[in-house]
Amino acid sequence: MSTSKKEFIAEAEDLLQESQRLILEIQDSVSTGINPDTINALFRAMHTLKGVSGLFGLQGISKLSHALEALMDDVRLGKVDVTDAIVSFLFKNLDILRNLVEGVSDEQGNDDVSAYLNDIENFRKGQQGEAAAAPAESVIDPAIMRVLSEYEEHRLKANIKDGKNIYLAKAVFSLDVFDTALESMTKVIKTLGELISTLPTSSNVPDGSIGFNLMFGSRRPLDELQKEIHVEIEVLSAPKVSQPVPVAAPAADSQKIQDTHLKSTSTTVRVDIEKLDRILNTIGELTLAKGAVKRIGTELIDNYGHTSLVYDVHKISQTLERRLAELQDQVLEIRMVPIGQIFARLSQIVRRYSREIGKQIDLQMYGEDTELDKFLAEEIVDPLMHLIRNAIDHGIEMPAERKAKGKTEHGTITLKAYQKGNHVVVEVKDDGSGVSIEKVRKKAIEKGLIDDDVELEDKEIINFIFAPGFSTKDVASEMSGRGVGMDVVKEKLSALGGFADIETKSNVGTTFMVTLPITLAIIKALIVRVGAEKFAVPLTSMSETLIVNHKDIQTIEWKEVIYLRGEMLPMIRVSTFFGLPGDQNDRSFAVVVGFGERKVGLLIDELFGQHEIVIKSLGEYLKKLKGFAGAAEIGKHEVILVLDVESLIDESLLKQKGAAYV
């Protein structure tokens, strides 16, 4: 895909994201009064999308955004009332626009949007004429009315209809500072009411100055306003109508005023994540080179002792290592984004879908500042969205059912993120009905995943919801489907080096805890040997290493275990798992991996120490190979496989249980 198209997609996605936020804001304020700035912002977003898509020759997106812009123009001019029907219609068309933009990324442009355009036009005709205009000419001087734009006239009438006082603030500023002074006054007025119009004036303005008449509506009395706005204020419309104030024609230098705002105040630069990936790949190659320099330095010491030349090599090796670490940290820092960005998107899902199915759901968020690699943050959005949809559809009960259970009619979904070592934990918690252990067990038996006489702990039964196609629902819903997708969630997390854990209690609720590494870019790994093969175990997955005497290994319920500090630790023989000939010794090393109740020990033959690695994909041909997360290069161009700890734990535990599901 061309760079320009990538830039368009990034711009369009930002505009659609902002549009969705604005529609939600409108939806929330339908009953309490719409903020006109929100309507204007949505109008501008559609206008911008129309212009940007037109520049790239994407006629379908351009025509559709133009039609929505026209609809929003009707809304902002008061020709159409804001109702729940309009909000739903806007959401529907936003989804259509999003699909069209996705089509651009897939090189599947669609310019035939005539059906959508007809739909919007018919909707506009059906909505027009419902809004009633308020009288303004009888209370506002016609001289003022003539200089107002159609939109300003509408807002003036709307303010009068709402019973607000209409004021005119007369301000005169020095030409040197008028832009900042006017901006400051505008901000103050917006806190006190709605700014309707700003008109330049030349009446009674001394040389070297410029004057403005700022018309605004407010419920505040005049004496209060004058304490906040330190200029002359006249009352245009109030319980007692004041004399009309002549308004001068726009000044000739209005274009000059606009020019002063063309310079952007933003200092940020948008960077394609692929460019950062390329930099990290280069750093990864330099890391290998650094390792080679370090190794050469060690060999020189062994062969030639501590001569000045060897000392110089050692010194330059340390400098290279330090500077490379700094560069790596700086690039990784650029890639980090607050997870609040993801939470904001998920909050829109909660608000939108809960209304659609008639459930009342409050959303609570904690830890929005927790940072995560940009790549991981984007990859985790869909799994989290799936968990939230499940919580809305299957977890939170309908208001009547909650009331009958003695709960509040409003359900609660909590999103929480926090850092735990080199991992980030994201919790999705609901206070709904919880997952029925009995239903899951019954369904697992029906599907032949377990025999009916197999005894499993509740935790192990609950994990069957991650089995492909598993669901306790007999009927699929439009929102979350039949539960299909939880296996995809688990696979996705595993591919990212993460995992999910569940806690559930009947009629109390369910908590999904998603644990992810902070970054996948460059990680530290422990190099181990099993038989003649070397493997890498990511340090983020392990907690300690042990020496295990084979005589201490016991077998309990077909599981090999050892007792570690009073607790039973399941063991996995990596040589047996992969069918490799291991060393025949009386003792082995054990690498303890996993967390909580999913902690196991991997029995290996030898430890080689830590190494920084860049994980490379195994490619399409080998991607279905179980037990490996990828490959990495170490030492003298040696390529080794990186163990996928999560899949090792899963497969091993299921084999030990004799369950059919893998």
Side-chain angles (χ1 to χ4, degrees):
M1 187 188 302
S2 66
T3 304
S4 59
K5 263 191 178 175
K6 285 183 180 178
E7 289 176 358
F8 165 74
I9 292 170
E11 180 81 19
E13 284 182 343
D14 284 350
L15 288 168
L16 293 176
Q17 190 69 29
E18 175 66 7
S19 298
Q20 179 159 324
R21 186 189 68 76
L22 293 167
I23 297 172
L24 284 165
E25 196 174 314
I26 293 170
Q27 184 184 48
D28 289 344
S29 55
V30 166
S31 57
T32 56
I34 309 294
N35 183 348
D37 288 343
T38 307
I39 301 289
N40 283 330
L42 184 57
F43 170 79
R44 286 195 298 273
M46 288 297 109
H47 179 78
T48 305
L49 182 59
K50 177 185 72 174
V52 173
S53 54
L55 282 174
F56 284 88
L58 301 167
Q59 294 303 315
I61 299 174
S62 180
K63 289 175 183 175
L64 190 59
S65 48
H66 174 67
L68 291 173
E69 177 193 4
L71 174 61
M72 291 312 302
D73 197 32
D74 285 350
V75 174
R76 65 196 285 269
L77 293 176
K79 297 176 182 175
V80 170
D81 280 335
V82 179
T83 61
D84 288 335
I86 283 193
V87 171
S88 298
F89 189 77
L90 289 172
F91 271 134
K92 185 181 81 171
N93 281 278
L94 202 62
D95 288 340
I96 295 170
L97 277 173
R98 193 173 284 119
N99 289 334
L100 290 173
V101 172
E102 286 178 2
V104 175
S105 62
D106 299 335
E107 304 289 348
Q108 297 173 354
N110 178 17
D111 290 337
D112 184 11
V113 293
S114 54
Y116 303 136
L117 297 179
N118 290 335
D119 189 29
I120 295 173
E121 187 59 28
N122 292 334
F123 184 82
R124 280 183 66 194
K125 288 177 180 175
Q127 298 291 319
Q128 282 177 345
E130 294 184 5
E137 291 79 359
S138 59
V139 292
I140 301 294
D141 185 1
I144 296 178
M145 298 298 293
R146 282 197 294 273
V147 297
L148 297 180
S149 67
E150 187 180 2
Y151 173 70
E152 290 168 341
E153 184 178 335
H154 161 64
R155 293 312 311 162
L156 172 61
K157 292 176 178 177
N159 275 270
I160 293 173
K161 182 182 177 184
D162 291 343
K164 293 180 182 175
N165 301 320
I166 306 299
Y167 296 104
L168 192 72
K170 292 180 167 182
V172 176
F173 305 113
S174 167
L175 281 173
D176 299 334
V177 297
F178 81 90
D179 51 348
T180 55
L182 179 61
E183 184 181 358
S184 176
M185 178 171 287
T186 299
K187 286 181 181 176
V188 173
I189 290 176
K190 286 185 175 179
T191 64
L192 301 170
E194 179 185 345
L195 182 63
I196 298 170
S197 175
T198 301
L199 298 171
T201 179
S202 57
S203 176
N204 299 322
V205 176
D207 292 339
S209 300
I210 185 170
F212 294 93
N213 288 334
L214 296 97
M215 184 189 295
F216 63 98
S218 175
R219 299 186 190 282
R220 302 280 189 93
L222 181 62
D223 54 343
E224 279 188 21
L225 294 175
Q226 285 183 324
K227 293 177 183 175
E228 303 286 341
I229 308 170
H230 306 292
V231 297
E232 180 186 352
I233 302 175
E234 291 199 25
V235 181
L236 297 183
S237 171
K240 182 180 179 181
V241 181
S242 63
Q243 293 297 316
V245 178
V247 178
D253 56 351
S254 58
Q255 183 61 42
K256 184 180 175 182
I257 296 170
Q258 292 179 12
D259 289 344
T260 60
H261 296 283
L262 291 179
K263 182 183 176 184
S264 171
T265 56
S266 172
T267 58
T268 58
V269 177
R270 179 181 292 164
V271 180
D272 191 329
I273 190 71
E274 290 181 5
K275 291 182 179 177
L276 293 178
D277 284 343
R278 288 199 289 273
I279 295 175
L280 273 177
N281 282 336
T282 304
I283 293 175
E285 299 299 327
L286 288 173
T287 302
L288 293 176
K290 176 208 71 179
V293 171
K294 199 171 180 180
R295 175 178 53 77
I296 291 169
T298 305
E299 290 177 2
L300 286 174
I301 292 175
D302 293 340
N303 293 328
Y304 303 102
H306 291 82
T307 64
S308 60
L309 178 61
V310 172
Y311 177 74
D312 283 346
V313 171
H314 177 68
K315 194 174 177 182
I316 200 67
S317 166
Q318 287 187 321
T319 304
L320 180 61
E321 184 173 9
R322 189 167 56 251
R323 296 300 180 200
L324 204 54
E326 290 175 3
L327 178 60
Q328 179 180 320
D329 289 344
Q330 288 165 5
V331 176
L332 290 177
E333 188 180 344
I334 293 172
R335 292 172 61 96
M336 303 299 273
V337 295
I339 202 164
Q341 293 181 5
I342 306 302
F343 281 4
R345 295 188 219 171
L346 296 173
S347 69
Q348 293 169 5
I349 296 292
V350 174
R351 292 159 69 184
R352 179 177 173 182
Y353 287 108
S354 60
R355 285 172 185 261
E356 287 185 1
I357 64 172
K359 292 184 178 179
Q360 300 170 3
I361 298 176
D362 294 329
L363 179 66
Q364 297 177 348
M365 295 186 288
Y366 303 96
E368 297 101 313
D369 294 334
T370 306
E371 290 192 323
L372 189 65
D373 187 283
K374 171 71 175 173
F375 171 77
L376 286 168
E378 291 300 329
E379 292 295 314
I380 199 63
V381 168
D382 286 343
L384 289 178
M385 183 178 72
H386 198 88
L387 295 179
I388 284 178
R389 283 183 168 178
N390 272 340
I392 296 172
D393 195 24
H394 303 309
I396 304 287
E397 309 94 331
M398 295 298 286
E401 185 182 348
R402 292 181 62 86
K403 197 173 180 181
K405 289 180 178 177
K407 296 182 176 180
T408 60
E409 294 187 3
H410 284 76
T412 302
I413 290 179
T414 304
L415 293 174
K416 183 178 181 182
Y418 53 92
Q419 191 170 339
K420 188 176 181 182
N422 289 321
H423 290 78
V424 167
V425 180
V426 183
E427 291 185 4
V428 180
K429 181 179 180 182
D430 69 69
D431 66 346
S433 56
V435 180
S436 169
I437 305 290
E438 191 51 40
K439 275 188 178 179
V440 175
R441 179 182 172 81
K442 187 177 174 184
K443 192 60 88 173
I445 294 172
E446 283 178 12
K447 285 181 168 289
L449 300 177
I450 54 172
D451 296 330
D452 55 5
D453 58 347
V454 171
E455 292 295 327
L456 296 175
E457 296 176 4
D458 289 351
K459 197 90 175 174
E460 294 168 315
I461 294 174
I462 286 294
N463 280 333
F464 279 113
I465 67 172
F466 290 112
F470 190 91
S471 175
T472 57
K473 287 276 184 179
D474 296 324
V475 179
S477 70
E478 184 178 347
M479 178 180 299
S480 60
R482 195 188 290 274
V484 175
M486 291 301 288
D487 59 320
V488 178
V489 170
K490 186 176 178 64
E491 282 184 13
K492 189 72 177 177
L493 293 176
S494 181
L496 297 173
F499 61 91
D501 203 2
I502 313 170
E503 290 178 358
T504 186
K505 194 170 181 181
S506 180
N507 289 325
V508 175
T510 304
T511 303
F512 283 90
M513 288 162 287
V514 174
T515 303
L516 290 166
I518 291 177
T519 181
L520 290 178
I522 297 176
I523 63 170
K524 289 186 177 179
L526 178 66
I527 310 302
V528 302
R529 179 182 64 81
V530 178
E533 305 295 332
K534 282 183 182 176
F535 299 103
V537 182
L539 288 188
T540 52
S541 304
M542 56 176 287
S543 54
E544 61 183 310
T545 57
L546 311 166
I547 295 176
V548 177
N549 291 313
H550 290 185
K551 63 182 176 58
D552 295 332
I553 299 176
Q554 303 178 35
T555 302
I556 300 177
E557 295 180 349
W558 304 282
K559 287 191 291 188
E560 285 192 322
V561 301
I562 63 168
Y563 279 91
L564 179 64
R565 294 186 285 273
E567 293 186 358
M568 193 170 66
L569 178 68
M571 307 300 293
I572 299 174
R573 293 180 185 269
V574 178
S575 58
T576 305
F577 191 91
F578 291 117
L580 298 172
D583 292 354
Q584 300 299 317
N585 296 325
D586 294 333
R587 64 179 191 173
S588 300
F589 290 97
V591 180
V592 182
V593 296
F595 299 90
E597 296 182 7
R598 290 172 57 81
K599 186 180 287 187
V600 301
L602 302 178
L603 283 176
I604 49 96
D605 295 327
E606 189 175 0
L607 301 173
F608 289 111
Q610 296 180 20
H611 207 290
E612 286 186 335
I613 62 170
V614 179
I615 301 179
K616 304 288 186 182
S617 168
L618 290 176
E620 288 298 313
Y621 188 70
L622 298 174
K623 73 175 183 181
K624 292 186 178 178
L625 205 59
K626 294 283 186 181
F628 301 111
E633 184 179 340
I634 60 170
K636 295 179 179 178
H637 310 295
E638 183 180 3
V639 176
I640 64 172
L641 292 166
V642 182
L643 296 182
D644 181 355
V645 171
E646 279 304 308
S647 68
L648 277 178
I649 295 172
D650 283 348
E651 300 237 354
S652 175
L653 292 179
L654 287 168
K655 282 178 181 175
Q656 288 171 347
K657 286 287 182 186
Y661 156 57
V662 292

